[in-house]
């Protein structure tokens, strides 16, 4: 007798005598039809039980969540909704699930309740679909870079540098927190800490990735990054995964080409390989939308939105042009924007980004050449002296998906920029070395992985697209 | 004119007019032969410069480490050592490299010196080969699991649980370190910290991976883990990457099958795809061995060692049998072991593991059914009441490569084991839930990724196989 996964069994269209399959009971109805799931697929396999010849004591244990081992014959299904089913010859309960206390019942649970039960929430269709998609997206990312000559680089998580300035950092320490050693000035003496200095959790692997790009050519990171801001919103996590490619000899235009090609590849991969999960989540969204006021509903279906990105050229428009468009736009003139567009130099908000993508251009948009003073110190200054070679890529529904730039490769310009922002050169001596020895044009971008998973799954709370979310006041599990 | 990478140019066997290539000068000799590298390959491409028609000022800038843009014709090489070379038509220096101060000169540098210049060390052949191999190994890991129906799962890095007991942990905090808030007993009031509780950096994603295995079936983690032990050795890092597959309905024998199949796949992938880098590192080892006393030399070549793993069945032997073999072995009787084998129940040391692999069995070895009291609380207790279904996989040269086990799936037995070890059930309520609702046999293992990279590259210091190593007193970059 051969053992199969549910997914394998569902792909058979032949009759098979005596198959063996293990999984968890999703539902058991009419004392006869057991829906079995083992995570290999969104679909369950229907197992038809001969209840007359099965002990009552066993039938009673076939409750939602119980682990069972089923042996039987795979046959064409009599009923609707499935091509094949199993005529059960024997059923063995491996692990019971008390229906009185089991949290995951076959009914609709709120996402909030499921977050509190994050260790069990992948036992639901929605979260198993999300996490299968998350896994497939990860693989697509690695596959794309591998096929295109990039090397995967693990940037350090614990960092002695706090110069990147992307956000507030968590401190990492082994000092006695109650009685830390003090120096002669009464300050905490971090030279006595584990690493001999003050250390934090990284906010980005970019600067380290640059060191590898300037030797290996094309590299990318894909690892956890951290923000210690007290942001309790549906769009922020304290711990999230980031993808950061970095490429030597590539300018901003090339960087845009790369980002566009990359995004299209990854979304194509998902459309091709994860259709079933996507369709399930699309239907979930449609059902959810029905209970919402018209104005809040999604204007595009989930799969339609993926096609929208894949099939359109990303429109490239300078920040200056974008500001002009927004300034003269209807919502701005009619004072419909929460943040009115008044002058060149302000940062764009999500409402502006979505207007450009969804209303004005009707395609993904890349905005480039941002004002220097709203962007990071390492971005390449343009000849105008006031803009930098930055780019943001905007998607429908979600706004900014990718942020990137050509990096400042000129030593003196970088030093001046760091001085202006009071970034200590001693902190980043190694980063400056890249500009001293064989410097060259190079570029890269960052993609918050959870943002991508939200886009692909249609989930609106970022806590629902990562296994165990870390947010202010929450580090359970 | 088309731009190429060095790797692309070296794979051409045709004459190409006017190619464009960018990279860094490795060497420039006889005012004529420039060896150009761009990280795409271990090999350089030879660029032949017509020095009579090149300005002296330009020639002087062609120093090691300088970034250049070369245009020229790809032709069959006149000299030995390469099939093709570039007849240079124009050369543009993109970034100079001052030969007086540039740390990476074309000569042998000590690994220690290169560790201090970790931001530049991938500009050497050795470290570019290591990091290309590291990247390829990562991809092979993802590819294997993807092809075999596993889902990639990101386990949390910041954890509120310190129950796993795999090692000392780093504290993560946002409290004011100088004046932390205190509770009524004068202890630090972590309820006021960012996450509302005491939090640490994870030592393993296994327990969280188990929650996903018990719903999605087959999962794996591949992420950073941390140890705060003050171990300043060539085999320990404070931050390292770990691979942890976890599989529902799999017993210890199946776990062994999986681990063996996985290791062979990954090593085969490297042999097939990274031959050039492997051969370079093999030759490096041979040269290094020549300066060592006979007894310390490698008994197998690097590639031979990979074949040794791939082509042998892993010998499976119980801990009890292994102790018998070791007890009666020549080195034990002749008191050659530093740690003599005296009685059943002791932990095996590296010398014992290597004896079993290299001298006794002459193949990779899996030892299973270890004494319970030298293994973790979550391992499945055998019926003898004193051993657990643990396994360690031993490799030549390096000793333990993989540690895994079948997990204790029985609620009461797990609870008893936790009580014995004073592990608070409240800390792991979610882990116990897995045994309350649909529990089943399941297994998994952990592979320290840097251990694997050491094995494949032949490097003997773990700090040389991760981009920016974190060790006691060291978190530079």
């Amino acid at each position: 007798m051969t053992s199969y996964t549910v997914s394998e069994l569902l792909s058979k269209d032949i009759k098979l005598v005596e198959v063996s399959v293990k999984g968890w009971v999703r539902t058991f109805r009419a004392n006869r039809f057991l829906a079995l799931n083992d995570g290999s697929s969104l679909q369950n396999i229907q197992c038809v039980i001969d209840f007359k010849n099965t002990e009552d004591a066993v039938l009673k244990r076939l409750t939602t969540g119980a682990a069972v081992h089923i042996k039987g014959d795979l046959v064409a299904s009599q009923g609707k909704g499935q091509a094949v089913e199993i005529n059960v010859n024997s059923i063995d309960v491996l692990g019971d699930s008390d229906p009185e206390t089991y949290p995951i019942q076959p009914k609709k649970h709120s996402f909030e309740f499921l977050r509190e039960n994050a260790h069990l929430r992948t036992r639901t269709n929605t979260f198993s679909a999300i996490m299968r998609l998350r896994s497939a997206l990860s693989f697509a990312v690695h596959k794309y870079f591998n096929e295109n000559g990039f090397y995967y680089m693990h940037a350090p998580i614990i960092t002695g540098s706090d110069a990147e300035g992307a956000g507030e950092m968590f401190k990492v320490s082994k000092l006695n927190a109650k009685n830390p050693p003090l120096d002669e000035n009464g300050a905490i003496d971090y030279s006595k800490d584990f690493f001999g200095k003050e250390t934090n959790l990284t906010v980005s692997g970019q600067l380290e990735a640059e060191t590898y790009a300037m030797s290996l050519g094309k590299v990318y990171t894909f690892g956890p990054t951290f923000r210690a801001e007290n942001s309790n919103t549906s769009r922020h996590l304290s711990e999230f995964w980031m993808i950061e490619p970095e490429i030597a000899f590539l300018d901003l235009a090339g960087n845009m080409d790369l980002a566009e090609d990359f995004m299209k590849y990854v979304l194509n991969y998902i459309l091709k390989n994860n259709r079933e999960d996507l369709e399930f989540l699309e239907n979930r969204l449609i059902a959810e939308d029905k209970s919402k006021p018209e104005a809040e509903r999604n204007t595009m279906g989930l799969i339609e939105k993926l096609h929208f990105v894949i099939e359109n050229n990303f429109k490239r428009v300078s920040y200056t042009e974008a500001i002009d468009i927004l300034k003269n736009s209807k919502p701005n003139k009619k004072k419909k924007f929460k943040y009115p567009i008044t002058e060149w130099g302000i940062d764009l908000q999500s409402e502006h980004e979505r207007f450009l993508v969804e209303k004005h251009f009707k395609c993904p948009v890349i905005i480039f050449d941002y004002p220097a003073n709203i962007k990071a110190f390492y971005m390449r200054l343009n000849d105008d002296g006031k803009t930098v070679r930055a780019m943001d890529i905007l998607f429908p529904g979600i706004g900014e998906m990718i942020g990137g730039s050509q990096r400042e490769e000129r030593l003196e310009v970088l030093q001046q920029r760091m001085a202006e922002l009071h970034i200590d050169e001693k902190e980043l001596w190694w980063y400056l070395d890249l500009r001293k020895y064989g410097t060259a044009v190079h570029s890269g971008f960052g993609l918050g992985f959870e943002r991508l998973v939200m886009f692909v799954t249609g989930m609106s709370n970022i806590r629902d697209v990562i296994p165990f979310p870390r947010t202010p006041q929450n580090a359970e599990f």
Side-chain angles (χ1 to χ4, degrees), chain A:
Chain A
M1 186 177 13
T2 314
S3 289
Y4 295 93
T5 63
V6 170
S7 162
E8 286 165 347
L9 290 173
L10 292 175
S11 70
K12 309 270 179 205
D13 52 1
I14 47 159
K15 196 173 146 63
L16 285 175
V17 174
E18 274 283 280
V19 299
S20 165
V21 59
K22 292 171 183 171
W24 293 274
V25 178
R26 279 293 172 87
T27 56
F28 182 47
R29 61 187 173 80
N31 240 3
R32 184 134 196 237
F33 301 107
L34 187 153
L36 187 78
N37 190 287
D38 66 356
S40 64
S41 152
L42 182 75
Q43 301 302 323
N44 308 317
I45 190 154
Q46 173 157 292
C47 304
V48 185
I49 293 175
D50 176 7
F51 62 90
K52 284 180 193 151
N53 292 308
T54 306
E55 282 176 53
D56 260 10
V58 170
L59 291 175
K60 276 193 186 124
R61 293 171 67 195
L62 302 181
T63 56
T64 297
V68 295
H69 181 189
I70 280 174
K71 294 175 194 165
D73 304 325
L74 188 75
V75 297
S77 178
Q78 310 287 312
K80 282 179 189 169
Q82 62 274 324
V84 293
E85 62 189 19
I86 296 176
N87 273 340
V88 177
N89 298 328
S90 84
I91 183 158
D92 188 12
V93 179
L94 305 172
D96 290 286
S97 176
D98 180 355
E100 299 298 316
T101 60
Y102 184 51
I104 312 295
Q105 290 300 318
K107 61 159 196 169
K108 211 171 168 55
H109 293 289
S110 76
F111 288 144
E112 201 165 349
F113 173 82
L114 290 171
R115 259 169 245 146
E116 287 162 12
N117 290 282
H119 63 308
L120 300 175
R121 66 179 173 171
T122 37
R123 299 182 179 199
T124 66
N125 281 335
T126 300
F127 283 93
S128 72
I130 293 167
M131 296 306 165
R132 273 190 299 268
L133 278 165
R134 185 180 166 105
S135 172
L137 282 165
S138 296
F139 188 70
V141 168
H142 287 299
K143 193 163 186 290
Y144 176 83
F145 287 123
N146 187 63
E147 285 172 5
N148 287 280
F150 285 69
Y151 305 114
Y152 182 30
M153 179 244 185
H154 291 118
I157 310 301
I158 297 172
T159 171
S161 134
D162 63 353
E164 215 255 324
E168 275 191 75
M169 301 176 99
F170 290 104
K171 198 162 287 176
V172 175
S173 179
K174 270 283 285 180
L175 288 181
N176 181 323
K178 187 77 192 297
N179 293 303
L182 302 179
D183 64 17
E184 54 206 5
N185 301 318
I188 290 178
D189 186 359
Y190 284 106
S191 74
K192 300 224 166 65
D193 205 348
F194 189 91
F195 294 108
K197 64 195 293 194
E198 211 173 331
T199 48
N200 299 295
L201 290 179
T202 186
V203 293
S204 159
Q206 178 202 314
L207 305 193
E208 288 89 354
E210 283 187 51
T211 71
Y212 268 47
M214 295 309 282
S215 49
L216 298 176
K218 299 196 273 186
V219 302
Y220 71 107
T221 73
F222 188 174
T225 53
F226 305 85
R227 296 282 188 285
E229 274 96 12
N230 196 4
S231 303
N232 236 321
T233 81
S234 61
R235 294 164 67 91
H236 292 91
L237 289 169
S238 309
E239 171 182 317
F240 57 99
W241 285 67
M242 190 127 81
I243 297 153
E244 297 179 286
E246 190 72 33
I247 310 93
F249 310 118
L250 193 77
D251 63 12
L252 188 63
N255 203 21
M256 294 184 205
D257 293 341
L258 173 70
E260 182 168 347
D261 189 54
F262 165 70
M263 288 304 302
K264 288 179 173 176
Y265 177 96
V266 166
L267 299 181
N268 256 322
Y269 180 93
I270 290 299
L271 277 175
K272 208 169 141 187
N273 292 282
N274 297 73
R275 199 77 198 185
E276 198 171 73
D277 288 323
L278 278 177
E279 282 170 1
F280 175 82
L281 291 171
E282 171 158 276
N283 290 330
R284 191 200 72 77
L285 265 188
I286 291 167
E288 191 184 71
D289 268 4
K290 282 184 183 150
S291 64
K292 284 184 180 172
E294 183 93 23
E296 286 172 30
R297 291 182 193 171
N298 288 285
T299 48
M300 274 187 260
L302 191 60
I303 294 173
E304 191 188 351
K305 226 166 39 173
L306 304 189
H307 283 291
F308 177 86
V309 171
I310 293 168
E311 283 147 28
N312 280 300
N313 290 324
F314 292 14
K315 173 72 186 173
R316 299 172 191 202
V317 51
S318 75
Y319 168 88
T320 304
E321 292 170 85
I323 286 289
D324 276 349
I325 292 166
L326 288 166
K327 217 175 185 173
N328 298 317
S329 70
K330 251 191 212 163
N332 199 48
K333 288 182 171 165
K334 291 190 172 177
K335 302 193 193 306
K336 288 273 174 69
F337 284 142
K338 197 175 155 200
Y339 300 89
I341 297 287
T342 50
E343 58 184 357
W344 193 95
I346 58 165
D347 210 353
L348 299 183
Q349 302 297 322
S350 188
E351 57 180 345
H352 310 133
E353 296 172 345
R354 293 190 57 179
F355 171 81
L356 291 170
V357 173
E358 294 163 35
K359 306 287 181 199
H360 188 81
F361 289 115
K362 295 190 171 64
C363 66
V365 172
I366 310 183
I367 301 185
F368 62 92
D369 284 355
Y370 277 83
N373 56 11
I374 57 169
K375 289 289 180 184
F377 75 94
Y378 48 72
M379 297 187 176
R380 176 61 155 81
L381 196 65
N382 278 311
D383 291 343
D384 63 13
K386 61 176 191 170
T387 61
V388 288
R389 288 191 194 156
M391 66 168 190
D392 280 0
I393 304 190
L394 315 179
F395 270 28
I398 203 158
E400 186 193 327
M401 178 62 78
I402 279 178
S405 71
Q406 188 175 318
R407 317 308 188 186
E408 184 55 75
E409 86 282 12
R410 299 163 298 180
L411 182 62
E412 321 75 53
V413 183
L414 183 62
Q415 282 169 323
Q416 197 186 319
R417 200 82 174 98
M418 285 170 67
E420 284 165 17
L421 296 167
H422 309 293
I423 298 170
D424 191 352
E425 288 195 17
K426 276 187 210 131
E427 282 279 323
L428 291 180
W429 64 274
W430 50 274
Y431 189 68
L432 291 167
D433 265 8
L434 302 180
R435 280 72 184 171
K436 286 181 189 157
Y437 306 116
T439 191
V441 164
H442 63 290
S443 300
F445 61 83
L447 166 64
F449 183 57
E450 282 73 20
R451 273 292 179 86
L452 176 61
V453 185
M454 285 173 83
F455 182 74
V456 166
T457 60
M459 299 301 289
S460 56
N461 192 320
I462 199 166
R463 298 167 198 214
D464 294 331
V465 299
I466 190 168
F468 297 99
R470 269 70 181 106
T471 53
Q473 301 301 313
N474 177 36
E476 194 58 79
F477 308 105

